[in-house]
Amino acid sequence: MSYKEDNEGKRSCHRTELYASIPQTCLPIVYHPDYNITFMGLEKLHPFDAGKWGKVIHFLKEEQFITDGNIAEALEATEEDLLVVHTKHYLNRLKWSLVVATITEIPPLLFLPNFLVQRKVLRPLRTQTGGTIMAGKLAVDRGWAINVGGGFHHCSSDRGGGFCAYADITLAIKFLFERVEGISRATIIDLDAHQGNGHERDFLDDKRVFIMDMYNRYIYPGDEYAKRAIKRKVELDWGTEDSEYLQKVELHSEGALNEVRPDIIVFNAGTDILDGDPLGGLSISPQGIVKRDEIVFRAARRRGIPILMVTSGGYQKKTARIIADSILNLHQQGLIEAEAMVGEGSSSLQIP
């Protein structure tokens, strides 16, 4: 895939480090230790496991699936990168600790000077956002990519919430639309337990983006306005279990991809569907989550469509192990490759 030329009528793109070439020796798995949020224990005041991303990497290293040298190191999204989607007004509001405390649902942050909030909370989120943008380009180049973080699907261009301060899914798609030849249609398959109202608001009137969203109908955010953007809406009841859930995942993932063939799939793979999650309200087993991810990847790879996976919500300590197990299963099923590529410009994307 080549970069789009400025003379195609597209607006001139700013210079970004996020689309810098990734060595062929790296797997399309994106991560940086800065993803993890640790600050005097304040992160424990939110049910989110703010260190889960590093734990996923630890488990993958233990299984000898990855090493420090063969994963792509995420870069922090700059203000110029963020302005591709976000308004200047919204980014300026993040300079107020009260605003960040409200978005992240960690009230004590409002008492901290904003430079600390920026460094300890927002920088990790900006780094994960950069990772999602990078993974979008990697998915097109390699056929698949996984950002071990990201999936901030409650944030839109001018509004954050639900621990989501930056609209990484919208950003990844808009970067691809603006910069990469042949990418003009995207499908979002959002399987987090919550409605993805952020990207829905951003793409409400954009016919290039097809959104499938499957979520617990009774929980946050209940954004009726944003629901107008969903092309394939699957609303679940409290306590939905594996059999019904996986049947719906397969039916609607296949249906969505048969209805519109995209150039890229963004898979929001939240693990807050896990039985016992304090916020998700569903009853899916660890094996059910692993199978869900396999179904989505199989649907993408069978059609030869690049897929970007982000990990999104997941509020129990055991979710990191489940994410790692899912990635290992994708490899065991032959849906992702564990060997780094050789040969510049080659692609692992198999087109039937």
Side-chain angles (χ1 to χ4, degrees):
M1 292 286 178
S2 62
Y3 287 114
K4 287 180 175 168
E5 301 295 333
D6 288 345
N7 61 10
E8 284 187 358
K10 300 279 178 184
R11 71 176 178 80
S12 181
C13 295
H14 74 280
R15 181 175 178 80
T16 181
E17 296 299 317
L18 300 179
Y19 269 23
S21 180
I22 301 295
Q24 298 291 325
T25 52
C26 288
L27 291 168
I29 294 176
V30 184
Y31 171 74
H32 194 285
D34 285 352
Y35 280 15
N36 303 289
I37 298 171
T38 54
F39 184 47
M40 300 191 309
L42 284 177
E43 70 280 358
K44 296 176 184 173
L45 296 175
H46 190 282
F48 204 99
D49 178 6
K52 78 171 183 179
W53 308 284
K55 293 172 189 171
V56 173
I57 294 296
H58 171 74
F59 291 135
L60 292 176
K61 285 179 181 174
E62 272 193 340
E63 300 291 339
Q64 300 184 327
F65 181 73
I66 59 170
T67 66
D68 284 329
N70 71 354
I71 57 175
E73 187 170 275
L75 300 173
E76 180 183 350
T78 66
E79 180 169 315
E80 210 172 359
D81 294 325
L82 298 170
L83 285 169
V84 169
V85 165
H86 289 293
T87 63
K88 186 79 171 175
H89 174 70
Y90 174 72
L91 295 181
N92 283 337
R93 290 186 66 230
L94 295 179
K95 295 174 183 174
W96 293 90
S97 297
L98 172 60
V99 173
V100 181
T102 303
I103 289 171
T104 59
E105 301 169 354
I106 305 175
L109 290 181
L110 70 90
F111 299 111
L112 298 178
N114 190 257
F115 79 89
L116 282 178
V117 173
Q118 292 287 332
R119 185 186 308 160
K120 294 294 189 176
V121 179
L122 291 180
R123 182 185 291 167
L125 300 183
R126 285 193 298 267
T127 306
Q128 292 190 42
T129 296
T132 300
I133 297 168
M134 292 170 64
K137 176 68 161 52
L138 270 172
V140 172
D141 289 343
R142 309 284 187 90
W144 65 276
I146 297 170
N147 181 15
V148 173
F152 304 131
H153 66 157
H154 297 307
C155 187
S156 61
S157 63
D158 60 356
R159 187 170 77 170
F163 202 75
C164 303
Y166 302 107
D168 67 317
I169 291 174
T170 306
L171 280 158
I173 291 171
K174 291 212 167 176
F175 263 68
L176 288 169
F177 283 171
E178 291 179 0
R179 293 171 180 268
V180 180
E181 283 283 4
I183 306 298
S184 59
R185 288 178 299 181
T187 289
I188 299 170
I189 297 179
D190 194 334
L191 300 184
D192 187 273
H194 301 80
Q195 176 200 353
N197 61 321
H199 57 72
E200 288 161 11
R201 283 176 170 263
D202 286 334
F203 292 121
L204 191 61
D205 299 312
D206 195 330
K207 297 190 187 320
R208 299 172 298 174
V209 180
F210 184 103
I211 298 174
M212 168 189 159
D213 200 349
M214 185 162 144
Y215 53 87
N216 184 337
R217 70 173 80 220
Y218 299 110
I219 61 174
Y220 175 90
D223 190 335
E224 295 298 326
Y225 177 77
K227 286 179 185 179
R228 294 163 49 201
I230 305 173
K231 304 295 195 301
R232 189 170 279 256
K233 179 171 62 176
V234 188
E235 296 190 322
L236 302 172
D237 292 320
W238 291 109
T240 298
E241 296 181 350
D242 285 19
S243 177
E244 177 188 351
Y245 180 81
L246 293 173
Q247 187 177 26
K248 287 182 173 177
V249 169
E250 184 149 26
L251 174 67
H252 292 288
S253 297
E254 292 286 339
L257 296 175
N258 287 339
E259 190 170 339
V260 175
R261 182 186 173 91
D263 303 308
I264 182 77
I265 296 166
V266 180
F267 172 31
N268 196 48
T271 46
D272 51 1
I273 62 171
L274 181 65
D275 186 25
D277 188 278
L279 300 181
L282 303 176
S283 299
I284 310 305
S285 70
Q287 296 79 15
I289 292 174
V290 170
K291 184 64 178 176
R292 173 201 67 178
D293 297 352
E294 180 186 328
I295 289 169
V296 176
F297 264 77
R298 196 174 297 283
R301 299 310 302 267
R302 187 168 61 244
R303 291 170 172 81
I305 303 171
I307 181 168
L308 156 61
M309 171 176 155
V310 289
T311 58
S312 201
Y315 303 93
Q316 299 184 70
K317 297 296 183 186
K318 54 189 171 186
T319 57
R321 178 76 249 183
I322 296 168
I323 294 166
D325 286 344
S326 177
I327 293 170
L328 293 168
N329 179 66
L330 292 174
H331 168 56
Q332 289 159 6
Q333 298 297 323
L335 297 169
I336 64 175
E337 301 77 26
E339 296 76 30
M341 295 164 54
V342 291
E344 194 68 33
S346 61
S347 173
S348 61
L349 181 58
Q350 301 299 313
I351 299 178

